[in-house]
Amino acid sequence: MQNSAVFLPHFHWDREWYEPFQVFRHRLVAALDTVLETAEADPDFRFTVDGQMAAIEDYLEMRPENRDRVAALVREGRLAIGPWLILLDEFLCSGETIVRNLQMGWAAARSLGGAMPIGYLPDMFGHIAQMPQILARAGIEHAALWRGVPGSVEGHAFRWRAPDGSEVRTEFLFDGYDNGLDVLLVPDQIGRALGEYAEMTAGRWGGDPVLAMAGTDHHAPDPKLAGRLRQAADGGRRISIATLDEYIRVHVRDEVSAVVTGELRSHVRGNILPGVLSVRLGLKQRMAVAERTIDHAERVNALCSQRDDSPFLTLAWHKIIESTAHDSVVGSGTDETCDQVEARLAEAAQAARAVRDAALAEPASLVPSDGYLVANPLPSPRAALVEVDVVAPPEGTSLVATAHDGSAQPVQLVSQAPTVLSDERMDASQLERVLRRIHRRELFGLLIDHYELTPGSLVFHLAEVPSGGPFDLLVLRREVAAAAAAHPGPWRVRTLAEARATALVPVHVPATGLTSFRVQASQRQAAPAPRHTPATATARALSNGLVEVAVAADGTLDVTGTDGTTLRGVGRLVDGGDRGDSYNYAPPAQDVLVSEPAQVTVDLLESGPLRSRLRVTRVYEWPAALGDDRDLRSGRTVRTPVDMLVEVRASEPFVRISTSFLNQCADHRLRFHVPLPEPVAGSASAGQFAVTERGLTAEGGWGEYPLPTFPASTFVSAGDAHVLLDHSSEYELVDEGSALALTMLRAIGSISVNIHPLRDEPAAGEIPAPGAQDLGMRIENRFAVVPAAGGWQGSNAVALAEEFRNDVLVARGTAPAAGRLPSDASGLRVDGDDVLVSCVRRVADEEHGAGIEVRMVAMRDTTSTVRLTGPFTEATTVDLLGRPLSPTAVRDGLDLVLGPWEIRTVVLR
């Protein structure tokens, strides 16, 4: 069989990269025109469209008249499309986004004749541990990929096993997805070149035919390929053309002995370009915001609203998934490309926000306008703090928050708004101009409660909710005109708002449920509820009975947890040079590390009882850039203050930390260090339906230095330190396992550099990307630190990360003021240790009608018992494409047993 070869015509289509989307689409349309013409002219021709439906959608938007031509070739098996909507970066989006990517790609391909049932992942920068389970639970038995495969795989295929035990046979593109092009360089020497290549790689094939991938980035197929291969086959070598599906289904053995379990992040056979985890921080943050917003929108739309906003949600999901492309969210494109990705993610968040707010408006219509509705997006009850704008208390009184049952909670005032919005002097002839500011009853964003008109004086009293009677703008105009005529000369016009304050209010909200409250003045302070441990503060320390924070002289933090575990030196900042590019970090040969501040100040901002805060400001002298010799940092430094907001809240066992600074330096990497009490041999990070454990090193062997920098999405844990994350981040264990370092900023100026000290070959052209320096941008990061022994499970990191990342949702009531607050409303509740709920959404099909889809993941290596309760009487287990598998018995709730790391999806009705 080694005398045979299968050529696989294809292209790899980066939707946007070193050119923006529309420029590449122009080339795409021409390339797919060639594919259709070639296939229709030669029945032997086959083509695989890169595993992503985005290329087909983008093409048909420009060539809608060719839809039937595409569908005909798909039905004949000569054009392989799908199963993905887009070829994504697997580590820089959520597991739920990966599932939706597969669902949308599969559905789009089905409408044209059917998806290629192969998890084709040709150019991703490594692969997540749970991908085999995601594919298997969608009914896909095979995968094909290139990067990240460990050196233990010696053949051209292996069985890839997820943490739950699911497996897919995986074709290993060990020479990349363009290995066949070298064979085709000289058309009349194809037979000879193929023979040499087959001999060179014979140890890989084990009797299976050589797979020659005939395609590369952004190139149309050669219309003469089939003819040239027929000519080369005249020498006796068996040569055929196939799609990827045909090659795997027809030409190779299904039995393979090599097994690889978990994520694929080895550098041994290809670059995995790990620097993309930390470049262009803003894209990673926008992705997290968009994903979080659409998740909340789906949940409240399903549980609180009568309106089906599926078209808006589909639009938002499509834009998010487009942005996950492995040259999009990673930030390895030009500035204009990254600007488009950022705008697309903003649009996705905006569409989702509109759905979320419209859904909340329905129950908010039952809450009086002097009250607030609070919605909990998580499927477990929780205590939380909400920040709302309220009427300031009169002198000698305090504020309390009252619930529907009359119970009261203390309120913490954190700021007061000015009451004098304007104080102007003008001639009577100018008064008409002032009235133009009024739109019906609105003035300066508030409503006119009443006004006082006396000779020479006009005073407006504004409120959010007017307490006076009706207001008639026409009457006001008539009265002011008469007064101005009667009293010409100077006038004083004042606009006064009612005294307002910002208040923190403690709430307890049922699982995916609703509560409401109003804030009002009281003659005596309400006693704190037993479930709230007061937060306290001194000039350099915070505490809430669960976690204690002390600020050291150098501005770092000593943090002590509930069990007495103490982390010292938390928040040490280390800045070093970076002479790398968007794909790989590289230190200058003579680096200058800056870790000690030139100045430290500490300000007490809030002292409880619900929230206490300190601001630590450290001033650093950072080198301005690299020098002309890129292995040296500049001798010129820039004085840079870095603010660190340190916060503890009543009842939370972690400390919240937010950092902010204006970046005025280029070519550098800044890291946030969490020193560990004892050196550790490994770490664990959560993301994409798994917690992945890693050591202190990475496997090398190719042309890329194996830096042990790793991805984390929701938390990272090392020894007794557990850091909850706001967005996908890069981390590394440094100082021989003595500290956890999280990258806060990596500022570089080129997509790729030709000569890179830690990578042999360029990753792209040496194209300037000045926007990736983030110069003049305010760089903000948000973490939470949990000191606790017992590892990530002992610290309850899965649940705490969900609480940290998902705030409760607040909406102002819209019913008439002073009415009765509605009773609390419970929604869907999911009980189970270390169970992640990644999806709660409205679904419907013609046979079964409307339902609520819930996706759960057992985030542990032991069996999980899960109980679901809520407004449902039927349950059906479905696969990841939504196809029913089996009905599930419901008796006063739904009881499930999830295996280790299992993904389970049910539809409730």
Side-chain angles (χ1 to χ4, degrees):
M1 289 292 287
Q2 288 181 11
N3 196 40
S4 65
V6 176
F7 279 78
L8 199 154
H10 76 104
F11 56 45
H12 175 53
W13 207 272
D14 299 293
R15 196 167 183 259
E16 53 199 357
W17 181 19
Y18 58 85
E19 294 283 8
F21 163 57
Q22 295 297 355
V23 173
F24 273 148
R25 172 149 72 171
H26 192 271
R27 301 182 193 177
L28 171 70
V29 170
L32 282 174
D33 281 345
T34 300
V35 169
L36 298 187
E37 292 162 4
T38 304
E40 290 165 348
D42 190 335
D44 289 339
F45 185 77
R46 305 285 191 274
F47 196 80
T48 299
V49 190
D50 205 27
Q52 55 180 335
M53 282 302 298
I56 296 296
E57 288 187 350
D58 294 341
Y59 174 74
L60 291 178
E61 191 173 353
M62 296 293 105
R63 294 276 195 270
E65 68 277 10
N66 288 344
R67 184 178 182 86
D68 290 344
R69 295 172 67 193
V70 170
L73 291 171
V74 172
R75 288 193 299 270
E76 293 169 12
R78 297 200 293 132
L79 187 67
I81 61 174
W84 302 101
L85 178 58
I86 203 137
L87 293 182
L88 70 162
D89 186 284
E90 299 168 31
F91 292 97
L92 292 176
C93 63
S94 70
E96 186 61 32
T97 297
I98 295 173
V99 171
R100 302 303 181 91
N101 187 341
L102 186 57
Q103 290 177 345
M104 294 182 81
W106 192 271
R110 184 175 56 209
S111 70
L112 287 166
M116 174 177 68
I118 311 292
Y120 186 42
L121 305 160
D123 197 29
M124 286 70 163
F125 307 149
H127 304 278
I128 62 168
Q130 287 280 39
M131 184 58 77
Q133 185 179 180
I134 291 172
L135 295 174
R137 288 184 180 266
I140 297 174
E141 300 176 349
H142 298 272
L145 49 82
W146 167 31
R147 305 183 195 266
V149 178
S152 59
V153 175
E154 298 178 345
H156 72 98
F158 61 96
R159 298 207 69 78
W160 186 13
R161 183 177 295 161
D164 77 311
S166 301
E167 290 185 356
V168 289
R169 182 199 178 278
T170 303
E171 187 67 25
F172 178 25
L173 309 176
F174 59 89
D175 265 350
Y177 54 77
D178 60 354
N179 68 316
L181 294 186
D182 289 346
V183 173
L184 300 172
L185 279 174
V186 183
D188 61 359
Q189 295 294 313
I190 291 175
R192 175 197 57 78
L194 182 58
E196 292 179 2
Y197 181 76
E199 184 178 350
M200 288 169 49
T201 58
R204 287 275 180 185
W205 301 109
D208 286 336
V210 170
L211 173 61
M213 300 289 290
T216 190
D217 299 1
H218 306 118
H219 277 74
D222 180 359
K224 299 179 181 179
L225 176 63
R228 287 172 173 164
L229 293 179
R230 283 191 290 266
Q231 183 178 0
D234 290 344
R237 185 175 298 277
R238 294 175 56 190
I239 298 176
S240 57
I241 295 179
T243 62
L244 181 60
D245 181 32
E246 288 174 323
Y247 174 76
I248 291 173
R249 182 166 38 84
V250 176
H251 294 278
V252 298
R253 296 163 297 138
D254 188 54
E255 300 82 14
V256 292
S257 57
V259 177
V260 178
T261 299
E263 70 175 3
L264 306 180
R265 288 195 64 84
S266 169
H267 307 253
V268 75
R269 286 293 304 180
N271 299 333
I272 64 168
L273 311 171
V276 300
L277 297 172
S278 51
V279 74
R280 297 196 192 259
L281 167 71
L283 289 180
K284 282 64 173 177
Q285 293 174 326
R286 282 197 179 275
M287 176 60 72
V289 168
E291 289 179 321
R292 194 154 50 234
T293 306
I294 196 169
D295 180 32
H296 294 172
E298 286 191 327
R299 296 184 187 209
V300 296
N301 179 258
L303 299 172
C304 300
S305 176
Q306 299 299 312
R307 173 173 171 166
D308 182 2
D309 268 330
S310 297
F312 289 94
L313 294 169
T314 299
L315 171 69
W317 269 120
H318 203 287
K319 288 184 178 294
I320 289 172
I321 294 165
E322 289 175 65
S323 303
T324 65
H326 64 285
D327 282 305
S328 295
V329 69
V330 300
S332 60
T334 60
D335 288 354
E336 62 177 336
T337 292
C338 292
D339 288 346
Q340 286 182 316
V341 178
E342 186 172 291
R344 190 183 303 127
L345 287 169
E347 281 192 75
Q350 291 156 10
R353 189 179 75 206
V355 173
R356 180 199 68 193
D357 292 351
L360 288 175
E362 295 183 40
S365 68
L366 304 177
V367 176
S369 59
D370 59 343
Y372 292 86
L373 174 80
V374 182
N376 177 13
L378 298 182
S380 55
R382 64 191 293 198
L385 291 181
V386 299
E387 195 169 291
V388 294
D389 178 70
V390 298
V391 177
E395 189 77 25
T397 65
S398 61
L399 293 179
V400 295
T402 56
H404 71 93
D405 59 1
S407 60
Q409 293 276 11
V411 166
Q412 177 181 330
L413 292 182
V414 294
S415 67
Q416 286 199 235
T419 56
V420 179
L421 303 185
S422 72
D423 189 345
E424 305 165 277
R425 286 170 170 77
M426 63 187 66
D427 188 81
S429 63
Q430 302 298 309
L431 290 177
E432 174 60 27
R433 297 177 61 184
V434 172
L435 301 185
R436 295 176 195 167
R437 301 171 180 168
I438 303 170
H439 301 277
R440 289 165 294 280
R441 194 167 189 164
E442 181 270 329
L443 176 58
F444 295 163
L446 297 170
L447 299 178
I448 296 175
D449 183 80
H450 64 282
Y451 59 89
E452 301 172 53
L453 181 61
T454 58
S457 174
L458 173 60
V459 182
F460 292 106
H461 294 271
L462 309 184
E464 282 203 344
V465 181
S467 58
F471 170 79
D472 192 325
L473 180 57
L474 295 178
V475 170
L476 173 63
R477 288 183 183 279
R478 186 172 64 247
E479 291 178 351
V480 168
H487 303 282
W491 275 67
R492 185 183 185 187
V493 178
R494 291 189 298 159
T495 306
L496 307 179
E498 63 182 341
R500 307 293 299 182
T502 301
L504 285 175
V505 179
V507 294
H508 193 271
V509 203
T512 59
L514 305 172
T515 191
S516 60
F517 66 88
R518 60 162 53 94
V519 176
Q520 55 195 33
S522 173
Q523 293 298 323
R524 59 186 181 87
Q525 178 71 38
R531 60 175 172 259
H532 292 300
T533 305
T536 60
T538 63
R540 299 180 71 93
L542 306 174
S543 177
N544 66 357
L546 299 175
V547 63
E548 296 180 357
V549 185
V551 182
D554 63 355
T556 62
L557 310 176
D558 295 340
V559 185
T560 301
T562 308
D563 62 1
T565 299
T566 298
L567 306 174
R568 302 190 185 279
V570 171
R572 178 173 179 255
L573 301 184
V574 180
D575 185 77
D578 191 341
R579 60 148 300 174
D581 52 30
S582 65
Y583 291 103
N584 296 79
Y585 159 78
Q590 300 179 52
D591 201 0
V592 174
L593 298 179
V594 180
S595 59
E596 299 304 319
Q599 179 182 333
V600 178
T601 58
V602 182
D603 297 304
L604 174 60
L605 303 181
E606 297 174 18
S607 55
L610 300 175
R611 183 175 74 187
S612 55
R613 281 178 163 180
L614 293 169
R615 181 176 60 234
V616 181
T617 302
R618 289 172 286 178
V619 180
Y620 295 88
E621 296 284 349
W622 290 338
L626 295 179
D628 294 335
D629 179 349
R630 292 187 60 77
D631 274 319
L632 295 173
R633 296 191 81 179
S634 169
R636 183 175 71 87
T637 61
V638 178
R639 191 173 177 83
T640 306
V642 180
D643 288 332
M644 182 168 66
L645 183 66
V646 186
E647 173 183 321
V648 298
R649 298 182 180 183
S651 79
E652 287 186 344
F654 49 81
V655 53
R656 295 171 180 259
I657 300 172
S658 301
T659 61
S660 175
F661 66 94
L662 183 67
N663 183 45
Q664 303 170 79
C665 301
D667 312 315
H668 69 127
R669 181 181 69 174
L670 179 66
R671 286 176 146 188
F672 181 99
H673 281 225
V674 181
L676 306 176
E678 300 289 340
V680 297
S683 62
S685 77
Q688 298 82 36
F689 301 151
V691 178
T692 302
E693 297 188 357
R694 307 181 178 98
L696 299 180
T697 60
E699 184 182 33
W702 188 246
E704 180 180 60
Y705 184 82
L707 280 175
T709 53
F710 298 114
S713 292
T714 59
F715 71 79
V716 57
S717 175
D720 294 344
H722 319 283
V723 182
L724 315 180
L725 302 171
D726 175 68
H727 58 271
S728 295
S729 303
E730 171 192 90
Y731 77 92
E732 181 180 0
L733 287 176
V734 297
D735 302 332
E736 299 181 332
S738 294
L740 174 64
L742 292 106
T743 304
M744 299 168 62
L745 172 70
R746 200 166 72 81
I748 52 86
S750 181
I751 289 181
S752 176
V753 293
N754 292 337
I755 305 299
H756 193 293
L758 302 185
R759 189 186 65 231
D760 286 352
E761 60 178 312
E766 195 167 86
I767 301 171
Q773 297 281 16
D774 280 331
L775 287 169
M777 301 295 292
R778 182 150 292 278
I779 306 302
E780 298 178 334
N781 283 274
R782 194 168 71 98
F783 316 103
V785 176
V786 186
W792 60 269
Q793 285 185 289
S795 69
N796 198 26
V798 171
L800 292 182
E802 285 296 281
E803 289 196 13
F804 174 67
R805 290 167 65 90
N806 295 276
D807 291 332
V808 293
L809 310 174
V810 183
R812 188 70 178 262
T814 57
R820 183 179 179 83
L821 293 170
S823 299
D824 290 357
S826 297
L828 174 72
R829 178 166 177 164
V830 180
D831 291 300
D833 293 337
D834 295 327
V835 173
L836 172 72
V837 175
S838 75
C839 164
V840 178
R841 65 160 175 164
R842 182 197 306 263
V843 293
D845 62 57
E846 293 182 359
E847 181 178 354
H848 301 97
I852 304 294
E853 182 180 81
V854 182
R855 191 157 13 262
M856 297 156 286
V857 187
M859 298 285 282
R860 61 194 299 179
D861 57 7
T862 56
T863 297
S864 297
T865 301
V866 185
R867 179 165 178 80
L868 285 75
T869 52
F872 61 91
T873 57
E874 300 177 12
T876 303
T877 298
V878 300
D879 71 5
L880 283 186
L881 296 179
R883 297 172 297 204
L885 297 176
S886 62
T888 306
V890 175
R891 296 184 183 88
D892 299 322
L894 176 62
D895 294 300
L896 300 172
V897 176
L898 272 59
W901 306 109
E902 180 185 353
I903 304 168
R904 181 81 66 88
T905 309
V906 296
V907 175
L908 309 174
R909 293 184 172 87

